[in-house]
Amino acid sequence: MYLICLTRKSGYTTRRIEEATAAAGHRCQTLDPSRMDLLVGSESPLVGVNVSGPPDQTAIFPRLGALPPEHFMSVVRHFEGQGIRSFNSSDAIRRARDKLIAYQQMAASGV
């Protein structure tokens, strides 16, 4: 499997994710979403980075942190539009970042 870790920081946690991925026999690439250009064309959506794995064997691991979510969410949605799986979907990230939506969903679930 080919894992793409979307994060701005390349600290200890990111390094451990890369090491664990390699130990499991997979490939991992860390990309900074703030440095990505999103290109939309009539043929297919493109992201300004070369994703070298087939979509069914590729997954993204979004690590937002304190980033403003707008561009980050666009990058995650862009990958999802290409059929690439995400550990956390753009919709789940949006719901978690919006406290009102999070509280409403917890209340509806009885939490």
Side-chain angles (χ1 to χ4, degrees), residues 9-54:
K9 296 185 178 185
S10 58
Y12 173 78
T13 306
T14 304
R15 188 172 66 247
R16 286 293 299 134
I17 291 169
E18 291 170 346
E19 291 169 1
T21 303
H26 304 294
R27 295 180 305 147
C28 182
Q29 182 178 8
T30 301
L31 300 174
D32 182 350
S34 67
R35 295 178 182 253
M36 291 183 180
D37 294 323
L38 303 177
L39 309 171
V40 179
S42 61
E43 295 293 319
S44 67
L46 301 171
V47 71
V49 80
N50 186 14
V51 177
S52 61

Side-chain angles (χ1 to χ4, degrees), residues 24-102:
H26 304 294
R27 295 180 305 147
C28 182
Q29 182 178 8
T30 301
L31 300 174
D32 182 350
S34 67
R35 295 178 182 253
M36 291 183 180
D37 294 323
L38 303 177
L39 309 171
V40 179
S42 61
E43 295 293 319
S44 67
L46 301 171
V47 71
V49 80
N50 186 14
V51 177
S52 61
D56 61 337
Q57 292 294 317
T58 303
I60 58 172
F61 184 61
R63 298 191 68 236
L64 180 58
L67 283 174
E70 295 80 20
H71 181 71
F72 189 88
M73 300 263 296
S74 296
V75 171
V76 173
R77 274 194 308 274
H78 208 68
F79 277 112
E80 290 172 340
Q82 294 179 9
I84 295 174
R85 292 174 291 176
S86 176
F87 282 86
N88 301 313
S89 70
S90 59
D91 190 47
I93 295 168
R94 180 190 57 81
R95 287 187 308 232
R97 298 292 285 194
D98 187 324
K99 298 306 177 202
L100 177 60
I101 291 175

